[in-house]
Amino acid sequence: MAEMEKQVNTSEFQGKAVVKGVAVARLKVLSTDLTEPLKRYQAGDPETEKHRLHAAIAKCQDELSAIIEKAREAKEEEKANIMEAHFLMLSDPTLTAAAEEKIVAGKSSPAAILEASEETAQMFAAIDDPYLRERAADVRDVGRRVARMILGIRLEFGEDPIIICAMDIEPST
């Protein structure tokens, strides 16, 4: 009987740990890059895209409400507060209106919300106040959350322990 060669794909990752200690678990590599899913997305007419945008925002608000409730029950106040801020950003009519304008101009709903959230994030990033400047990351996170919802991309981690590896771990991850 011939012996089969087993090829193993190995990669080395280096980064900054956010929790001290040693962990052994499955590695989950996350990316905030939505370039490929955006290329594959089949946009509809502007009214359809606006509907998709509003439906995704509503679903994201439902998800955030559940996360907030669970965090409060677990006494994770910092997480609950961050998610409440995200909920408020999702409820901002200015962000929605900016995305809708981009849809009317011919953008798909996921591209529109990403652009609108990036423009808002750049305004936050230009503020002198360090606390408000840090909210730029939250606005980007909110935009990506809505875009992922429209694109059908789910961040699922399962019940087993994992190690998350990413260039940047978003506040809602």
Side-chain angles (χ1 to χ4, degrees):
M1 198 154 77
E3 189 173 320
M4 296 182 66
E5 264 188 49
K6 186 174 183 179
Q7 292 186 357
V8 178
N9 182 10
T10 59
S11 297
E12 185 175 316
F13 294 94
Q14 290 184 337
K16 179 181 174 186
V18 293
V19 178
K20 289 184 178 183
V22 176
V24 177
R26 185 173 51 90
L27 182 67
K28 175 84 172 183
V29 180
L30 299 181
S31 173
T32 58
D33 183 11
L34 297 174
T35 304
E36 288 306 313
L38 284 168
K39 286 179 186 176
R40 293 188 302 269
Y41 178 76
Q42 297 293 312
D45 61 76
E47 286 307 310
T48 299
E49 290 304 296
K50 284 187 205 177
H51 175 74
R52 289 175 180 170
L53 173 69
H54 288 279
I57 289 171
K59 286 181 184 176
C60 289
Q61 287 173 322
D62 289 346
E63 278 185 355
L64 288 173
S65 292
I67 293 168
I68 292 164
E69 185 178 327
K70 189 175 179 180
R72 294 262 186 251
E73 288 172 0
K75 306 287 189 235
E76 297 173 330
E77 291 303 314
E78 184 177 357
K79 180 177 182 175
N81 292 339
I82 291 169
M83 295 300 99
E84 280 183 347
H86 284 210
F87 186 93
L88 291 173
M89 289 176 189
L90 271 176
S91 303
D92 181 0
T94 308
L95 181 62
T96 304
E100 286 179 343
E101 286 177 21
K102 294 177 183 318
I103 289 170
V104 169
K107 296 282 182 183
S108 68
S109 53
I113 192 65
L114 289 171
E115 274 189 34
S117 62
E118 181 57 33
E119 289 170 2
T120 303
Q122 287 177 10
M123 288 190 293
F124 274 102
I127 295 173
D128 286 336
D129 183 297
Y131 175 80
L132 291 176
R133 199 170 43 244
E134 288 178 14
R135 300 296 60 86
D138 292 313
V139 176
R140 288 182 181 105
D141 188 1
V142 165
R144 282 190 292 267
R145 175 185 285 275
V146 174
R148 283 192 308 266
M149 182 65 73
I150 297 166
L151 295 167
I153 299 169
R154 305 291 298 164
L155 294 181
E156 296 182 17
F157 302 111
E159 296 299 319
D160 294 334
I162 61 168
I163 298 169
I164 297 174
C165 178
M167 290 297 287
D168 184 32
I169 296 179
E170 296 175 325
S172 66
T173 302

